[in-house]
Amino acid sequence: EGDQARGSGLFLQREILQCLESGHSVSDMNKMLFLSPFTIRNYISEIYAKTRSRQSDRSDYDRKGKGLDRPKT
């Protein structure tokens, strides 16, 4: 049971990472992956911790995650 949970967590981290690489916002991922925005942000934090990303990369995520890079419609 524990292995399945770890496996699904890794799967979700990979899915979220692919979404980030494709330029999707947290709101987009919420709709695509059926996860709460808080859960998505937690996974993103775990990804950044694992990759030890620089602060400037984190700022880019924060800007995209809040939808600030998308035009208003």
Side-chain angles (χ1 to χ4, degrees):
E1 188 174 22
D3 289 336
Q4 285 181 334
R6 275 193 296 265
S8 65
L10 289 175
F11 175 78
L12 286 173
Q13 284 182 6
R14 288 183 184 135
E15 288 291 310
I16 290 169
L17 183 57
Q18 288 176 346
C19 287
L20 285 172
E21 289 172 342
S22 298
H24 293 289
S25 69
V26 171
S27 179
D28 295 337
M29 289 184 257
N30 166 255
K31 294 170 188 161
M32 294 176 355
L33 301 173
F34 304 103
L35 296 172
S36 83
F38 300 107
T39 300
I40 294 167
R41 287 188 183 102
N42 285 341
Y43 275 112
I44 291 170
S45 293
E46 290 175 14
I47 292 166
Y48 276 108
K50 286 181 179 182
T51 60
R52 299 175 191 202
S53 295
R54 297 180 319 221
Q55 187 63 31
S56 61
D57 292 339
R58 180 74 187 241
S59 296
D60 187 49
Y61 150 71
D62 289 339
R63 183 176 57 82
K64 285 183 179 179
K66 293 177 182 165
L68 299 177
D69 61 337
R70 299 191 180 260
K72 301 273 185 208
T73 56

